[in-house]
Amino acid sequence: MSGEPDALAVVKQLRDLAADPLNRRAIVQDQGCLPGLILFLDHSNPQVVYSALLALRYLAECRANREKMSSELGMMLSLQNVVQKSTTPGETKLLASEIYEILQASSSADDQGDEGASCRRKAQFFLGSSNKRAKTVVLHIDGLDDSSRRSLCEEALLKIRGVISFTFQMAVKRCIVRIRSDLKAEALGSAIASTKVMKAQQVVRNENGDEVMVPFVEDGPVALEQNTELPDYLPEEESPSQEADKAVSRMGSTQGGVGWLNTAANFLSRSFYW
């Protein structure tokens, strides 16, 4: 064996690097990584496709990246193909739609005149009411103290069918979860409680606009539909908080990221370019 990383290993590493806000600009500016991620969207392995989407979702959280991403050859068409493909899992379609919306909105904001209006109409027609099929739940998690507890949360949430993506704000012990609209928030609370070492409360705003924490009713575990379509990796969603990047950032990951970014870029270059 040569030890050459395969497509899934490379895209997972890119996904993990993109999860760190400090790496996002470098990944998009690299000449091979962004085109490679686009090509991964047409991969036969659904795990590769979903990991590529998660990486793109992270990269799109950086506003400075969006113009380049939306104009990259094949980006928007590939996202459309993922959504329109009949064999694409529901959560994967929703994630692709969210990325498309973010990039299309950025592109439309810069467009002027009839051409811009045409692009907006096209996006509306293509996406329809995708926002109505998903919602965001903010959890405050007692016991979310370190990376091992975070891993437990990841494992618990990824078992739930209907969880699209999530991100952690470790500094304030919060998790922002993007879920399908038909999934109850209580299912998330039950999943966190199943770890036996953590307990979740939902963060909502009262009539005065102030944040309050609402405990989940403890009347037995909520029946959960197990998620068997997606691989076991960490999905995250852009937090509504303006401090999300600071909370998610992992100290010391940049130096290691640069080396692996070069490895990934070399792999993509050898795989897709002459």
Side-chain angles (χ1 to χ4, degrees):
M1 299 294 290
S2 65
E4 178 73 20
D6 61 13
L8 183 58
V10 169
V11 75
K12 281 186 174 182
Q13 188 64 37
L14 280 173
R15 177 205 68 213
D16 292 342
L17 290 173
D20 189 335
L22 298 177
N23 295 330
R24 291 169 184 165
R25 294 291 297 276
I27 293 173
V28 169
Q29 294 302 318
D30 184 89
Q31 293 184 354
C33 289
L34 194 57
L37 285 171
I38 294 172
L39 290 173
F40 280 142
L41 296 180
D42 193 41
H43 201 277
S44 59
N45 186 342
Q47 296 186 14
V48 171
V49 175
Y50 196 79
S51 284
L53 286 171
L54 287 171
L56 291 172
R57 182 64 182 83
Y58 288 139
L59 297 176
E61 289 181 10
C62 177
R63 293 182 181 276
N65 286 342
R66 294 174 185 175
E67 181 179 356
K68 179 173 175 59
M69 291 177 66
S70 63
S71 62
E72 188 71 29
L73 181 64
M75 173 69 77
M76 306 304 280
L77 179 60
S78 294
L79 291 171
Q80 289 184 21
N81 289 339
V82 171
V83 175
Q84 294 171 346
K85 190 179 296 184
S86 61
T87 57
T88 302
E91 285 80 5
T92 302
K93 288 186 177 184
L94 281 173
L95 185 56
S97 293
E98 286 191 359
I99 299 168
Y100 188 99
E101 284 185 314
I102 291 170
L103 299 183
Q104 184 63 45
S106 175
S107 176
S108 295
D110 295 333
D111 288 336
Q112 300 292 332
D114 293 340
E115 183 177 354
S118 175
C119 288
R120 286 189 291 272
R121 285 194 297 271
K122 181 179 179 181
Q124 268 191 338
F125 173 79
F126 165 63
L127 291 168
S129 56
S130 64
N131 282 339
K132 297 179 181 178
R133 302 198 305 269
K135 61 185 177 182
T136 299
V137 177
V138 181
L139 302 176
H140 177 84
I141 304 176
D142 294 320
L144 184 62
D145 301 321
D146 52 36
S147 59
S148 63
R149 295 288 179 87
R150 171 176 171 154
S151 295
L152 286 176
C153 281
E154 294 168 7
E155 294 173 5
L157 292 173
L158 284 170
K159 291 178 181 178
I160 307 174
R161 181 182 296 278
V163 170
I164 301 168
S165 55
F166 52 83
T167 191
F168 289 94
Q169 295 181 327
M170 297 296 290
V172 291
K173 299 185 179 183
R174 287 191 178 184
C175 181
I176 296 90
V177 191
R178 187 76 166 163
I179 63 176
R180 294 181 69 95
S181 59
D182 56 353
L183 180 64
K184 293 183 178 180
E186 287 78 6
L188 305 179
S190 181
I192 299 300
S194 71
T195 65
K196 307 298 184 183
V197 293
M198 289 174 285
K199 184 177 180 180
Q201 301 179 77
Q202 185 174 1
V203 181
V204 299
R205 292 191 180 276
N206 60 20
E207 60 274 12
N208 297 321
D210 300 321
E211 287 189 353
V212 294
M213 296 183 190
V214 180
F216 292 108
V217 178
E218 298 182 1
D219 55 356
V222 178
L224 302 180
E225 185 179 359
Q226 294 296 304
N227 189 0
T228 59
E229 291 180 342
L230 302 181
D232 55 339
Y233 37 64
L234 169 63
E236 296 190 9
E237 164 69 19
E238 182 178 13
S239 166
S241 169
Q242 294 180 351
E243 299 297 319
D245 278 0
K246 297 180 181 178
V248 172
S249 176
R250 292 185 295 279
M251 298 301 293
S253 65
T254 307
Q255 292 182 349
V258 171
W260 228 103
L261 181 57
N262 291 333
T263 300
N266 290 335
F267 172 84
L268 293 171
S269 178
R270 287 193 296 272
S271 300
F272 302 123
Y273 301 101
W274 291 274

